[in-house]
Amino acid sequence: MNSDTYQLDETDRRILLALDADPRVPIMMLAQQLGLARGTVQSRLERLANSGALRPNTARILPAAMGRGVSAFVSAELDQARLNEAIAGLRQIPEVLECVAPAGDTDLLIRVAATDPDDLYRVSEEIRLCPGITRTSTSMILRDVIPFRTTELLKKLSGEKH
Amino acid sequence: MNSDTYQLDETDRRILLALDADPRVPIMMLAQQLGLARGTVQSRLERLANSGALRPNTARILPAAMGRGVSAFVSAELDQARLNEAIAGLRQIPEVLECVAPAGDTDLLIRVAATDPDDLYRVSEEIRLCPGITRTSTSMILRDVIPFRTTELLKKLSGEKH
DNA sequence: GGAGATACTGGTCATTTTGACTAAAATCTA
DNA sequence: TAGATTTTAGTCAAAATGACCAGTATCTCC
């Protein structure tokens, strides 16, 4: 784990949780709602923004809202010596939303979004053509059962000893 | 695809992209930066917030910032008749960040976060114990190669015919 | 146990932003 | 082309912002 990652503390978490309910509350409201001084919340927010603990804002956009209602996982095997080339290639494909390296026989697991199955085919072809990628296997996502969230985890942390 | 999803238009996308560079710009700055009237940006933002096109704010938090530096995919097979029970169970596990139903032999693919490998084991046990889940297989994520993003897709759309 | 660093409070200030409204112009669409 | 929807550009009073400050509380490490 990246232990140099900024660790949220209880106050950060409370702010974030409150912000979730209403992302545009003025800092003053937020402060009195949380029982903190305005300056505190203000500096916390500033710190949070620079902490690297948050993804960019656009990561909140649901692909479906961009007409990309079809998503899939593409697992790729690759010539390990060319890993960096492959990553660089993937990075340039806009439809590649995310990519992780799991333990096991799949070298890379790639999350993609497409307009329709045809488009999905095109995208997976594009992935297959990335340098170093030897084979891929695509598995369409039929249903988004639990959309990405951290709320529950955040709440759990707030319940623990601080 | 959920075709009742609100579809972002070019203006929405430009706003979102600009907001990415600086999430707290005042609306006025944003407006003049984009060459739009303030009222336009204001109403767009309001609409966006209610459109359901965005995940909650807390979805931006990186698990590592919550001390959950270890993530994994857990694939689960289940008694299909008890799908809803299983989902309800999963929903209650804070460490379950996301869950999708892919085509193929895996019934559910679950994204989890944990503090360390031991904790990961505990979480996967908890998943295994969900009603309806018959077997699971956990694969740890070794590296976050491309963290979730939509920026590139957003930019691509803006380059197309509007 | 204490010194120093760091964070929080509660206060002020001038400047900007906000939200809520207009009416008119521009754009879209059936 | 007529009607509906958006956008513009403007006003207003009320409120929020960012930048201060000194005093206090809390942490941390020797």
Side-chain angles (χ1 to χ4, degrees):
Chain A
M1 138 181 194
N2 246 4
S3 57
D4 62 348
T5 309
Y6 173 73
Q7 293 296 310
L8 305 177
D9 66 13
E10 178 61 16
T11 307
D12 291 322
R13 292 193 297 258
R14 291 210 302 141
I15 292 176
L16 256 1
L17 237 20
L19 234 34
D20 223 8
D22 177 359
R24 285 189 74 81
V25 261
I27 300 183
M28 293 187 81
M29 304 263 129
L30 199 56
Q32 72 181 74
Q33 184 183 326
L34 298 177
L36 296 170
R38 184 173 73 98
T40 306
V41 178
Q42 191 172 322
S43 55
R44 287 297 188 137
L45 283 177
E46 198 163 331
R47 189 206 300 180
L48 273 173
N50 304 324
S51 66
L54 302 178
R55 290 181 222 277
N57 234 285
T58 44
R60 286 178 56 202
I61 305 173
L62 296 167
M66 296 184 286
R68 264 58 186 180
V70 174
S71 5
F73 279 106
V74 177
S75 16
E77 280 174 41
L78 50 85
D79 175 355
Q80 307 249 3
R82 303 219 280 160
L83 174 64
N84 288 330
E85 278 176 82
I87 293 174
L90 290 171
R91 217 184 284 281
Q92 276 171 251
I93 304 176
E95 287 84 358
V96 167
L97 302 184
E98 189 181 14
C99 173
V100 300
D105 18 71
T106 300
D107 293 316
L108 292 176
L109 192 58
I110 304 156
R111 178 90 170 248
V112 302
T115 57
D116 54 62
D118 245 39
D119 189 42
L120 177 56
Y121 184 78
R122 179 189 61 78
V123 173
S124 57
E125 271 299 304
E126 236 180 283
I127 290 176
R128 200 193 321 282
L129 295 176
C130 280
I133 290 190
T134 54
R135 49 175 289 135
T136 67
S137 141
T138 301
S139 154
M140 219 172 100
I141 293 174
L142 303 179
R143 191 147 93 83
D144 215 332
V145 175
I146 303 178
F148 193 89
R149 62 170 192 184
T150 62
T151 329
E152 298 309 308
L153 194 45
L154 221 44
K155 284 186 191 154
K156 174 183 176 177
L157 292 188
S158 296
E160 291 169 0
K161 63 172 187 311
H162 335 306
Chain B
M1 136 179 194
N2 247 5
S3 57
D4 62 349
T5 309
Y6 173 74
Q7 292 296 310
L8 305 176
D9 67 11
E10 177 62 16
T11 307
D12 291 322
R13 292 192 297 259
R14 290 211 302 143
I15 292 176
L16 256 3
L17 236 20
L19 234 35
D20 224 8
D22 177 0
R24 285 190 73 79
V25 260
I27 301 184
M28 292 187 83
M29 304 264 129
L30 199 56
Q32 72 183 71
Q33 184 183 327
L34 297 176
L36 296 170
R38 181 173 76 101
T40 306
V41 179
Q42 191 172 322
S43 56
R44 288 297 187 134
L45 283 178
E46 198 162 331
R47 190 205 301 177
L48 274 173
N50 304 324
S51 66
L54 301 178
R55 290 181 222 276
N57 234 286
T58 45
R60 286 177 57 202
I61 305 175
L62 296 168
M66 296 184 287
R68 266 55 188 180
V70 173
S71 5
F73 280 106
V74 177
S75 15
E77 279 173 43
L78 49 86
D79 175 356
Q80 308 249 2
R82 304 220 279 160
L83 175 64
N84 289 329
E85 277 176 82
I87 293 174
L90 290 172
R91 217 184 283 281
Q92 277 172 249
I93 304 176
E95 287 84 358
V96 168
L97 302 184
E98 189 181 13
C99 173
V100 300
D105 18 68
T106 299
D107 294 316
L108 292 176
L109 192 57
I110 304 156
R111 177 89 171 247
V112 303
T115 57
D116 54 62
D118 245 38
D119 188 43
L120 178 56
Y121 184 77
R122 179 189 61 77
V123 173
S124 57
E125 271 301 303
E126 237 182 282
I127 291 176
R128 199 193 322 281
L129 295 176
C130 280
I133 290 190
T134 53
R135 50 174 288 133
T136 66
S137 142
T138 301
S139 153
M140 218 172 102
I141 294 174
L142 303 179
R143 190 146 93 85
D144 215 332
V145 176
I146 302 178
F148 194 88
R149 61 167 193 186
T150 62
T151 329
E152 297 309 308
L153 193 45
L154 220 45
K155 283 188 192 156
K156 174 183 175 175
L157 293 187
S158 295
E160 290 168 0
K161 64 173 184 311
H162 337 306

